[in-house]
Amino acid sequence: MKIIAGNWKMNGSRSGLAAMQKSLGEIDTENRVVLCVPFTMIDGAGGPAAIGAQDVSCHDHGAFTGEVSASMLADAGAKYVIVGHSECRMYHGDTNETVHAKAEMALSVGITPIICVGETMQERDAGKTLEIIESGVRESAPNDGGDVIVAYEPRWAIGAGITPTEEDIADAHKLIADILDSMGRGGTPILYGASVKGANAAQIMSIPHVDGVLVGGASLKPDDFIPIIMATK
Ligand code: PEP
């Protein structure tokens, strides 16, 4: 069983989500499928895919215009939330510290945070990949308080149509697994994300410690997403 999570970013519609759920209802898979959609779609169409959000406030409630709290997400039916996505780190100033607070908020209401970590191109070129991954996991993942998912997303490969080598993915995932073990979080699922598509999904998911994938662009249409889900049953 793998976890196949889609990140719709700022795309899609309620009718598109209903159509996706209908298509997902027609396939036979033991994989766990999650769709992280814009806030406006969270209470939309039910179906086989669990619904997640793409961000959450690190505050509980109050004067934080434009923010959505974890309890509001739970109220709308979200079971998962992505925290620390590269685009939130880049455009909204998320840091490991705020990502940690967001993950704790999610856990406090029973939502599973999908905690994203990964290096920029500049960090990669400086030979800092493993260091960034290590600090990302240690500082972003809460030590206790329920199950989490970690997603390794090399930031330079997101939406770029390129992926790291299999060896690089294997090294990153082994490091993350070891760190989680040392934090008392052994067995935490670790997803790979960035430029996953039908053509490379099976190979990526055969790499040790890759427990599933986080998919951006290729999660928007059933014709692209279903081959990824079916790449490993
Ligand atoms: C993402 O944004 O989380 C992602 C993995 O994007 P893409 O699959 O389009 O690279």
Side-chain angles (χ1 to χ4, degrees):
M1 195 280 288
K2 299 283 188 185
I3 299 171
I4 316 290
N7 171 15
W8 276 19
K9 311 194 186 198
M10 198 171 68
N11 294 295
S13 62
R14 292 165 74 88
S15 61
L17 177 59
M20 176 65 87
Q21 289 281 35
K22 185 166 181 291
S23 298
L24 294 174
E26 287 156 12
I27 62 171
D28 185 18
T29 178
E30 286 179 8
N31 292 328
R32 197 190 317 163
V33 181
V34 179
L35 286 171
C36 296
V37 295
F39 293 133
T40 54
M41 297 172 209
I42 287 169
D43 69 346
I51 297 298
Q54 301 169 13
D55 197 7
V56 64
S57 177
C58 50
H59 305 287
D60 186 44
H61 69 280
F64 300 100
T65 302
E67 298 201 22
V68 175
S69 72
S71 55
M72 290 169 185
L73 294 182
D75 187 42
K79 304 286 182 227
Y80 296 86
V81 63
I82 296 172
V83 289
H85 188 275
S86 163
E87 285 143 23
C88 294
R89 289 179 186 262
M90 187 162 49
Y91 302 131
H92 304 156
D94 265 359
T95 61
N96 290 339
E97 195 184 354
T98 57
V99 173
H100 187 282
K102 289 179 177 192
E104 279 191 330
M105 277 295 181
L107 289 172
S108 73
V109 295
I111 292 179
T112 304
I114 302 174
I115 301 167
C116 298
V117 298
E119 77 287 0
T120 62
M121 179 64 92
Q122 210 181 6
E123 289 160 347
R124 178 178 184 244
D125 289 347
K128 290 187 172 166
T129 297
L130 298 181
E131 189 185 315
I132 293 296
I133 293 172
E134 170 144 23
S135 56
V137 177
R138 285 200 190 283
E139 294 168 20
S140 305
N143 285 308
D144 45 34
D147 293 342
V148 304
I149 294 173
V150 170
Y152 169 53
E153 294 209 302
R155 293 170 63 174
W156 51 272
I158 292 178
I162 47 171
T163 57
T165 63
E166 272 187 58
E167 201 185 343
D168 285 345
I169 296 175
D171 287 349
H173 280 245
K174 168 84 171 70
L175 174 68
I176 294 169
D178 288 346
I179 295 166
L180 288 165
D181 239 348
S182 76
M183 294 172 73
R185 285 199 172 277
T188 293
I190 307 166
L191 312 185
Y192 168 80
S195 297
V196 175
K197 47 189 188 236
N200 61 17
Q203 200 175 3
I204 289 172
M205 285 191 276
S206 70
I207 298 171
H209 301 293
V210 176
D211 303 305
V213 285
L214 179 54
V215 185
S219 68
L220 292 170
K221 293 189 201 142
D223 283 356
D224 295 327
F225 195 39
I226 288 175
I228 296 173
I229 299 165
M230 301 308 277
T232 164
K233 291 189 189 178

